[in-house]
Amino acid sequence: GECRWRPCGGLERDPIHRMTRDIIAFGEVLWDIIDGVPNLGGAPLNFAAHARRCGMETAIVSAVGRDELGGRTRERIRAERVGDECLFESELPTGTVNVTLKDGLPAYDICAPVAWDRIEFPEGRFPPPLPRAFYYGTLAARDGVSRGTLHRLLETYQGALTFYGDDGQVLLREKGAATFARRRHVKM
């Protein structure tokens, strides 16, 4: 399909704002393990990659482990030309979700804790400049560290169009956490 948004490529970018992005996506970067085969995903990364294919300047704010999947994640993100300057490394493993079929429907075992549970900016690092839009995945709000970073970004990006992907609500309900709600975890 044809993309309807126009990238901000015409904006002047001085040295201070050279990392200006159309879209910053925050949250889970993970590998769905289906029949033993890892498939890179996570709603925020998928959104950023698709927007990049439409000509947008995008970046992901997340974390991966210092493991093989973390290295593969960074390679794939760079191949998609999604900005990875805020893809932090963690001592925790890269996120995985074991996907199985149960009565013909997918069942998800979301591993925890994983790197994207603890997304935080290192001392002296600051969020990228204000994007046109800020997208976040709700699943990353399951841990207080990432939730705190999300709050900081929401405050920083108050002037940006802000929206979220609620895939986490469906996944967490399956795990028995039916009380999960965006307002409970991400107070605006």
Side-chain angles (χ1 to χ4, degrees):
E2 186 177 316
C3 297
R4 296 181 189 182
W5 283 24
R6 296 197 179 249
C8 65
L11 295 177
E12 285 197 33
R13 297 198 172 140
D14 60 33
I16 294 172
H17 294 94
R18 74 178 68 183
M19 289 175 41
T20 299
R21 304 285 182 180
D22 293 301
I23 298 169
I24 302 285
F26 170 87
E28 58 274 10
V29 171
L30 53 83
W31 290 82
D32 290 313
I33 311 297
I34 305 169
D35 292 329
V37 178
N39 299 277
L40 184 58
L45 178 58
N46 290 339
F47 184 83
H50 286 292
R52 180 66 189 113
R53 291 177 194 149
C54 290
M56 302 286 176
E57 291 293 328
T58 66
I60 186 78
V61 177
S62 191
V64 295
R66 291 185 177 106
D67 50 26
E68 179 188 352
L69 286 178
R72 288 173 61 187
T73 303
R74 192 173 295 279
E75 287 174 14
R76 292 277 301 278
I77 288 172
R78 287 180 177 166
E80 290 287 342
R81 297 181 24 224
V82 171
D84 70 342
E85 62 271 8
C86 293
L87 181 65
F88 305 117
E89 288 189 345
S90 171
E91 295 300 324
L92 293 170
T94 299
T96 57
V97 176
N98 296 306
V99 183
T100 56
L101 285 180
K102 187 185 247 181
D103 299 325
L105 298 173
Y108 304 95
D109 178 19
I110 306 167
C111 299
V114 294
W116 55 260
D117 282 320
R118 308 276 163 65
I119 304 167
E120 62 184 332
F121 284 85
E123 190 67 35
R125 293 281 303 271
F126 301 99
L130 180 70
R132 289 177 60 194
F134 177 63
Y135 173 96
Y136 64 93
T138 57
L139 189 55
R142 72 181 184 179
D143 183 272
V145 174
S146 291
R147 190 167 51 250
T149 301
L150 176 56
H151 283 283
R152 178 179 174 194
L153 290 171
L154 287 168
E155 289 174 13
T156 301
Y157 296 150
Q158 285 184 21
L161 171 67
T162 300
F163 54 105
Y164 64 97
D166 212 12
D167 292 337
Q169 184 174 4
V170 174
L171 295 174
L172 287 171
R173 277 194 176 144
E174 182 173 298
K175 299 290 284 183
T179 58
F180 178 87
R182 183 169 103 16
R183 286 192 191 103
R184 181 170 176 230
H185 288 282
V186 184
K187 294 180 177 141
M188 303 293 253

